Amino acid sequence: MIKAIVGANWGDEGKGKITDMLAEEADIIVRFQGGANAGHTIVNNYGKFALHTLPSGVFYNHTTSIIGNGVALNIPVLFKELQDVVSKGVPMPKLLVSDRAQMVMPYHILFDQYEEERLAGKSFGSTKSGIAPFYSDKYAKTGFQVQELFDEAALKEKLKSVCTVKNVLLEHLYHKPVLDTEEIFKELMEYKKMVEPFVCDTSLFLWNAIKEGKQILLEGQLGTLKDTDHGIYPMVTSSSTLAAYGAIGAGVPPYEIKEIVTVSKAYSSAVGAGAFVSEIFGEEADELRRRGGDGGEYGATTGRPRRMGWYDCVASKYGCRLQGTTQVAFTVLDVLGYLEEIPVCVGYEIDGKITTEFPTTTQLEKAKPILKVLPGWKSDIRGIKNYEELPENCRKYVEFIEKQIGFPITMVSNGPGRDDIIYRNR
Ligand code: GDP
């Protein structure tokens, strides 16, 4: 059985914590898209970790972690993370890397930086991890799969051809030093040494696992609103963040994905540029940012302060619909305990018309939030295990949002730890 864990919003919804928690009952956890540009923060018995590439199941002995073919694989980053978790006492994870996963090349990171510099004030707010140049090359068929490391002659030849094109851009558009093919080749041979013990046909491994009745989790990165097709294009990421893409990025039959757990945070946060209708500013935003998540809402990869906002029912309803949600995990609810009143965005006003359907980017830029103010519960809900024990106003907040988005909230997360979870309707 395959279960996907994905985000409804702009990412940073707390997917890492939910995956880490659900991984206890899983056999295999698969990353199927994205790269080291975003991260999950996980707090467990071993300490606090920021994972960018490793799946969130690496902390269990009984699970196998897979880097699927859909991932933008930065090999040195993967190995640094592996060393980091092992050095903090976590047993060496069982890790498999798809032979068809493509590699983030050293020049992808350079091109990401140079392009952001060129765009200056109009930049996308990229994390400069090379993701956009990586996926551009993948679909232009000039990318490199891991398996290509094992045919050195062919690799050298292809590298020369690819670098010829890159060098024209470097010299004439960006005015930067050109690439040295020999140097890159040497670096790739280092990558080969690092990755070799883990490489295999992961889709075949998963096929056999499905037949044996294993429990498989697909772990998404970012959320619906950052999806290349259905997100706030062009302020999106360069790979699909949807559960449906899990079938492609892991190489499994789409009909095997039986459950889709969509994670949505009790308030909003976003990184990078783009319209953010329920955004708040000033002291109100600073306070929520300071109190948010576990130790503040700052990027797990970049440390940048996140943009903050109230919960957006319009965006979340859309986010859940596009994911194909079967259940919602509603996270970080404990953080809102300080508020007297909690505004929630229930509609958008665009050119004088009110809508609850999430529009295209051009319309979104013009949208103003329609806010409904709900009463706060003014108490600390951490440690509560049963839904009925939550303060009445807190339950009302959950149920109001559930009704607005139209998908069942089956889990409420009231703290960063594995056990800080309240199940509903069980
Ligand atoms: P992800 O990329 O979707 O996994 O999200 P992040 O890791 O960026 O953000 C989630 C942050 O919130 C992390 O610091 C988590 O430890 C923390 N977190 C997750 N769930 C909860 C929760 O229910 N309450 C609190 N206070 N923090 C949480």
Side-chain angles (χ1 to χ4, degrees), residues 114-148:
Y114 298 160
E115 183 61 10
E116 287 280 297
E117 272 170 40
R118 190 182 73 83
L119 292 170
K122 294 207 171 78
S123 80
F124 290 88
S126 160
T127 58
K128 305 187 184 76
S129 312
I131 304 303
F134 166 90
Y135 280 107
S136 306
D137 276 3
K138 175 170 174 173
Y139 292 105
K141 299 174 286 185
T142 51
F144 290 84
Q145 292 187 335
V146 167
Q147 51 95 8
E148 290 178 75

Side-chain angles (χ1 to χ4, degrees), residues 55-71:
S56 301
V58 291
F59 301 103
Y60 294 99
N61 273 326
H62 67 277
T63 59
T64 299
S65 299
I66 295 187
I67 306 287
N69 54 278
V71 169

Side-chain angles (χ1 to χ4, degrees), residues 32-33 69-70 135 138-139 239-250:
F32 62 88
Q33 46 87 219
N69 54 278
Y135 280 107
K138 175 170 174 173
Y139 292 105
S239 68
S240 173
T241 57
L242 302 183
Y245 188 75
I248 297 161

Side-chain angles (χ1 to χ4, degrees), residues 5-270:
I5 299 154
V6 288
N9 307 100
W10 299 264
D12 306 318
E13 298 97 345
K15 294 176 297 295
K17 177 242 163 97
I18 300 294
T19 310
D20 178 60
M21 193 186 89
L22 295 178
E24 193 161 7
E25 290 170 15
D27 300 298
I28 300 164
I29 297 99
V30 192
R31 277 283 314 267
F32 62 88
Q33 46 87 219
N37 50 332
H40 296 302
T41 315
I42 296 170
V43 184
N44 57 30
N45 317 339
Y46 295 105
K48 185 170 175 173
F49 298 87
L51 298 183
H52 306 285
T53 299
L54 282 175
S56 301
V58 291
F59 301 103
Y60 294 99
N61 273 326
H62 67 277
T63 59
T64 299
S65 299
I66 295 187
I67 306 287
N69 54 278
V71 169
L73 176 62
N74 184 321
I75 293 177
V77 167
L78 174 71
F79 285 86
K80 200 170 155 289
E81 250 169 59
L82 208 52
Q83 282 169 344
D84 182 48
V85 296
V86 172
S87 76
K88 288 182 181 155
V90 180
M92 182 66 182
K94 282 187 238 77
L95 176 70
L96 301 176
V97 174
S98 165
D99 49 9
R100 292 173 187 270
Q102 295 207 6
M103 299 176 282
V104 174
M105 303 290 277
Y107 50 76
H108 287 144
I109 295 163
L110 294 175
F111 274 93
D112 207 349
Q113 287 164 5
Y114 298 160
E115 183 61 10
E116 287 280 297
E117 272 170 40
R118 190 182 73 83
L119 292 170
K122 294 207 171 78
S123 80
F124 290 88
S126 160
T127 58
K128 305 187 184 76
S129 312
I131 304 303
F134 166 90
Y135 280 107
S136 306
D137 276 3
K138 175 170 174 173
Y139 292 105
K141 299 174 286 185
T142 51
F144 290 84
Q145 292 187 335
V146 167
Q147 51 95 8
E148 290 178 75
L149 293 172
F150 301 93
D151 183 342
E152 293 179 21
L155 177 65
K156 232 179 205 167
E157 199 169 313
K158 180 170 161 188
L159 203 52
K160 266 190 204 139
S161 158
V162 170
C163 287
T164 306
V165 180
K166 303 274 174 225
N167 282 340
V168 175
L169 285 172
L170 286 171
E171 198 176 338
H172 299 288
L173 178 66
Y174 297 115
H175 310 293
K176 298 284 185 187
V178 293
L179 302 171
D180 177 341
T181 318
E182 280 301 318
E183 215 172 276
I184 297 171
F185 181 77
K186 269 195 224 142
E187 216 166 330
L188 292 182
M189 289 302 103
E190 292 299 312
Y191 289 7
K192 180 178 159 185
K193 270 191 232 151
M194 293 186 224
V195 82
E196 195 163 12
F198 308 100
V199 178
C200 74
D201 180 346
T202 50
S203 81
L204 181 61
F205 179 89
L206 287 166
W207 173 255
N208 289 327
I210 293 165
K211 282 200 288 190
E212 287 164 21
K214 300 272 198 252
Q215 297 291 319
I216 300 164
L217 296 184
L218 300 179
E219 180 180 19
Q221 182 220 33
L222 296 169
T224 305
L225 306 176
K226 293 282 185 183
D227 181 71
T228 319
D229 281 78
H230 297 283
I232 49 172
Y233 191 86
M235 301 303 177
V236 292
T237 195
S238 304
S239 68
S240 173
T241 57
L242 302 183
Y245 188 75
I248 297 161
V252 294
Y255 56 80
E256 292 291 348
I257 307 175
K258 307 284 188 209
E259 278 199 49
I260 297 170
V261 179
T262 303
V263 185
S264 192
K265 191 158 62 179
Y267 53 88
S268 301
S269 72

Side-chain angles (χ1 to χ4, degrees), residues 12-16 39-41 293-294 306 332 334 382 413-416:
D12 306 318
E13 298 97 345
K15 294 176 297 295
H40 296 302
T41 315
D294 179 34
R306 291 175 181 152
V332 207
D334 51 302
R382 282 215 193 171
S413 174
N414 58 338

